[in-house]
Amino acid sequence: QVQLVETGGGLVQAGGSLRLSCAASGRTFSAYDMGWFRQAPGKEREFVASITMTRGTTYYADSVKGRFTISRDNAKNTVYLQMKSLEPEDTAVYYCARQRSAGSAYDLWGHGTQVTVSS
């Protein structure tokens, strides 16, 4: 059964950095676009970043543009989210998910990793 497992979350001071990883089991990782989402307490889940399966084209939410970088290593079945200049507003549970193609639903989600940014 294919699973997505996020790691790398933790507690960091404002201005600090973290790198999240999302490891996928199974052989079809490279066939999917991958995305990162987050959900803060009392708020709806929101899109953070995504990367396409073939060309590696990236997309970012305006709130993280210039601070976060998404990347993928298909050989390792892993997608990363490098986060810099973190702000308290970035505090959330971060989830990775896979998408068959642009515009389709994200059909598999990880369990999430907590990121807490202290002021």
Side-chain angles (χ1 to χ4, degrees), residues 52 59 66 82 99 119:
T52 62
Y59 302 90
Q82 178 68 53
Q99 180 186 42
S119 57

Side-chain angles (χ1 to χ4, degrees), residues 18-44:
L18 281 175
R19 189 177 80 155
L20 306 183
S21 300
C22 171
S25 59
R27 300 179 180 180
T28 61
F29 175 79
S30 61
Y32 292 86
D33 296 349
M34 298 297 295
W36 285 97
F37 293 77
R38 67 187 182 186
Q39 186 167 20
K43 295 187 178 181
E44 295 187 351

Side-chain angles (χ1 to χ4, degrees), residues 19 34 47-48 50 78 81-82 85 93 103 111-112 114 117:
R19 189 177 80 155
M34 298 297 295
F47 170 81
V48 174
S50 65
T78 301
L81 185 68
Q82 178 68 53
S85 301
V93 177
H111 292 294
Q114 176 71 47
V117 184

Side-chain angles (χ1 to χ4, degrees), residues 3-6 22 93-96 108-114:
Q3 291 183 323
L4 301 176
V5 179
E6 304 96 333
C22 171
V93 177
Y94 284 71
Y95 301 89
C96 68
L108 183 67
W109 295 78
H111 292 294
T113 186
Q114 176 71 47

Side-chain angles (χ1 to χ4, degrees), residues 38 46-50 58-70 81-87 90 94:
R38 67 187 182 186
E46 64 175 358
F47 170 81
V48 174
S50 65
T58 57
Y59 302 90
Y60 297 94
D62 287 343
S63 59
V64 307
K65 204 170 292 184
R67 300 188 299 122
F68 290 10
T69 303
I70 187 172
L81 185 68
Q82 178 68 53
M83 306 185 294
K84 298 180 179 179
S85 301
L86 283 162
E87 304 167 353
D90 296 316
Y94 284 71

